Amino acid sequence: DTGVSQDPRHKITKRGQNVTFRCDPISEHNRLYWYRQTLGQGPEFLTYFQNEAQLEKSRLLSDRFSAERPKGSFSTLEIQRTEQGDSAMYLCASSSPRTVSTDTQYFGPGTRLTVL
Amino acid sequence: QKEVEQNSGPLSVPEGAIASLNCTYSDRGSQSFFWYRQYSGKSPELIMSIYSNGDKEDGRFTAQLNKASQYVSLLIRDSQPSDSATYLCAVSMDSNYQLIWGAGTKLIIKP
């Protein structure tokens, strides 16, 4: 395993359905991040884990969004009752900083969500 | 409101020339600076990180940081068509996990 992996790569769903995305970080990376990116914008931070602890979730877009990292390895991001405005690329990144100031994040390929 | 600003472009540069990409940031407490490259439909890929004032070179890429002016730049020498992409600047504070991102500059290298 040489990089961050995400599954699925593409998801098409109907409005109102629930979707779940999975992220597998680089082995032994203790930090895991979720971002959303829409066309023409930089990534928008959603939430962040250090090991299994979710240390920041106030930036999740609404209470329809939730994330877990139960054993400190892979993570899931769930969106309930999807809306057309949720259509975006959902990116996962991981890092393993020696110091906070050298926290370099490496991204997975992303999951492209389309809500019809 | 912490902000990172980039010219959206597109910036068009002839093949073989130097491409210069610029980024300004609003938070003087920022300590870590990153340049990512993103091809259309793909995820961001790390190009360079820089933490101290001055220049940092890696192959054809040079990152320049001036904390007093709150300015970070990326120079690409001997530009190739494969360098055509959107370049994202990201900034974080020391002791803070969160990256603040610019919207990116679209770079086009013309053969």
Side-chain angles (χ1 to χ4, degrees), chain A residues 34-49:
Chain A
W34 284 101
Y35 292 88
R36 182 179 80 161
Q37 188 177 25
T38 53
L39 193 64
Q41 300 298 316
E44 177 183 14
F45 172 80
L46 296 179
T47 190
Y48 141 70
F49 293 86

Side-chain angles (χ1 to χ4, degrees), chain A residues 29-35 44-60 66-69 75-77 91-97 99-100 103 105, chain B residues 93 95-99:
Chain A
H29 273 194
N30 60 349
R31 289 188 176 183
L32 187 149
Y33 307 80
W34 284 101
Y35 292 88
E44 177 183 14
F45 172 80
L46 296 179
T47 190
Y48 141 70
F49 293 86
Q50 181 153 314
N51 299 312
E52 65 274 12
Q54 190 173 12
L55 298 185
E56 175 59 65
K57 57 182 179 180
S58 65
R59 303 296 294 274
L60 285 167
S66 63
E68 293 182 341
R69 194 184 185 195
S75 176
T76 58
L77 177 70
L91 296 165
C92 176
S94 71
S95 69
S96 183
T99 69
V100 172
D103 187 6
Q105 298 180 25
Chain B
M93 291 180 61
S95 74
N96 188 325
Y97 57 89
Q98 185 176 350
L99 288 178

Side-chain angles (χ1 to χ4, degrees), chain A residues 9 31 33 35 37 40-43 45 48 56 59 89 91 100-110 112, chain B residues 31-32 34 36 38 41-46 49 51 88 92-104:
Chain A
R9 297 290 302 277
R31 289 188 176 183
Y33 307 80
Y35 292 88
Q37 188 177 25
Q41 300 298 316
F45 172 80
Y48 141 70
E56 175 59 65
R59 303 296 294 274
M89 176 79 87
L91 296 165
V100 172
S101 63
T102 59
D103 187 6
T104 299
Q105 298 180 25
Y106 297 91
F107 283 82
R112 171 75 64 186
Chain B
Q31 295 292 326
S32 305
F34 304 89
Y36 285 81
Q38 187 171 30
K42 304 297 185 182
S43 62
E45 172 191 11
L46 181 70
S49 59
Y51 308 103
L88 295 162
S92 73
M93 291 180 61
D94 196 14
S95 74
N96 188 325
Y97 57 89
Q98 185 176 350
L99 288 178
I100 308 298
W101 295 81

